[in-house]
Amino acid sequence: MSKKGSKNKKNRIEIKRETTGVTSLSIEEQLKEQIEAPMVRLRYACAIDVMQAKLRMMNVDLTEQKSRQVIRNMSSRIKTTDSIIKKLIKKERKITFTEAVEALNDIAGIRVVCYFCDDIYEVAENIKKQKDLRVLKEKDYVKNPKKSGYQSIHLIVGVPVTYLEKTEEIRVEIQIRSFAMDYWAELDTQMCYKKDAGQIENVEREIKAYSDVIAGIDYQMLELRRRIEKM
């Protein structure tokens, strides 16, 4: 980032601080206190549990239909306060609890890893068919990969969470990938965690090339599986 860009970003943060009338530390403490409150965390955890239970049922159903395992594994997380603050700054939003809840769709997240690339679309379609869920947003980074080579289907799903007489819709981001896509994404994260500014362009170009190779293998394995199924 240039000195000018860094200065502008700093100014935007300072404006946010001035409009709230408190120091940077108190902004972070306020958000941390609210976002990490037990009932708030439990609502997000409950939404994740509900969605994972549905995904496990989908996996059993699809496995029985196809006589093979469809979902290899699932993982979940609730975004940390530090990550929430970084994303709010990136989106040029105020660092408040209300802004976090309204602006961020991925505070609660689930990653679903399937064995084959056609399975990810079946899982996505099954999620869309759930009558008690609302699919609020969909991005297909398989048909339209990111510049880096990243591939995955992202669904933002509204999950109803009921406590006593109140039902609240909690947004959960679901990332659905094939085993090969997940392999590339994990290695990309590991290798690019600390990038030297002078080498970043060369590194990204090489990683993108590997993404194309892995995507090719992904589809070759899919074709092989289809041939075996016809035997």
Side-chain angles (χ1 to χ4, degrees):
M1 181 183 291
S2 66
K3 290 183 179 180
K4 185 177 180 181
S6 178
K7 186 178 179 181
N8 289 339
K9 185 173 181 180
K10 183 178 179 181
N11 289 340
R12 289 197 297 270
I13 298 170
E14 291 299 331
I15 290 169
K16 289 186 180 73
R17 292 172 182 168
E18 289 169 9
T19 56
T20 58
V22 290
T23 65
S24 173
L25 183 59
S26 63
I27 290 171
E28 294 173 7
E29 285 178 339
Q30 283 181 355
L31 178 58
K32 184 179 179 67
E33 184 178 333
Q34 290 175 301
I35 207 74
E36 295 184 11
M39 284 301 290
V40 172
R41 301 289 289 187
L42 278 171
R43 287 201 296 271
Y44 283 110
C46 184
I48 287 172
D49 288 345
V50 168
M51 195 63 239
Q52 285 188 315
K54 286 180 175 292
L55 287 163
R56 284 192 289 269
M57 291 172 69
M58 289 176 204
N59 188 39
V60 170
D61 186 27
L62 290 170
T63 298
E64 288 179 352
Q65 290 179 34
K66 300 174 180 296
S67 299
R68 62 177 178 81
Q69 194 79 0
V70 171
I71 295 177
R72 182 177 185 269
N73 59 55
M74 288 188 289
S75 59
S76 65
R77 61 101 184 97
I78 299 174
K79 218 172 185 62
T80 65
T81 304
D82 287 344
S83 294
I84 288 170
I85 290 171
K86 287 176 184 176
K87 196 152 189 179
L88 287 172
I89 291 172
K90 184 178 180 181
K91 286 178 170 285
E92 300 188 349
R93 296 283 192 134
K94 291 180 181 178
I95 303 172
T96 66
F97 176 75
T98 301
E99 286 285 308
V101 172
E102 291 180 356
L104 305 184
N105 291 321
D106 63 343
I107 293 178
I110 297 174
R111 181 180 300 163
V112 181
V113 179
C114 300
Y115 282 96
F116 296 95
C117 50
D118 61 339
D119 291 333
I120 65 179
Y121 286 99
E122 287 216 50
V123 172
E125 286 304 312
N126 272 271
I127 292 170
K128 294 176 193 177
K129 290 175 182 177
Q130 300 295 307
K131 292 183 179 180
D132 58 338
L133 302 177
R134 282 204 310 146
V135 177
L136 306 171
K137 196 172 184 180
E138 178 179 3
K139 288 188 178 180
D140 189 339
Y141 294 117
V142 179
K143 290 180 180 176
N144 300 291
K146 288 187 177 182
K147 185 179 178 182
S148 64
Y150 173 86
Q151 294 187 45
S152 183
I153 292 176
H154 288 196
L155 297 177
I156 307 300
V157 179
V159 180
V161 173
T162 301
Y163 176 68
L164 298 177
E165 297 178 355
K166 184 180 178 182
T167 298
E168 182 180 1
E169 186 177 81
I170 303 294
R171 282 169 288 168
V172 178
E173 181 189 61
I174 306 171
Q175 299 178 359
I176 315 170
R177 308 172 181 172
S178 72
F179 190 19
M181 294 170 193
D182 190 59
Y183 165 75
W184 178 88
E186 288 295 317
L187 289 183
D188 177 53
T189 301
Q190 288 292 325
M191 290 187 292
C192 296
Y193 183 70
K194 292 183 178 180
K195 294 178 180 177
D196 183 280
Q199 298 294 324
I200 188 170
E201 191 173 328
N202 292 333
V203 170
E204 288 180 343
R205 189 184 301 114
E206 192 164 353
I207 288 173
K208 172 61 172 65
Y210 293 145
S211 170
D212 294 339
V213 171
I214 292 170
I217 294 171
D218 204 3
Y219 282 101
Q220 287 172 15
M221 294 302 292
L222 172 60
E223 289 303 313
L224 177 60
R225 191 207 77 206
R226 286 172 173 169
R227 291 203 306 271
I228 291 170
E229 288 171 346
K230 290 178 181 178
M231 291 178 181

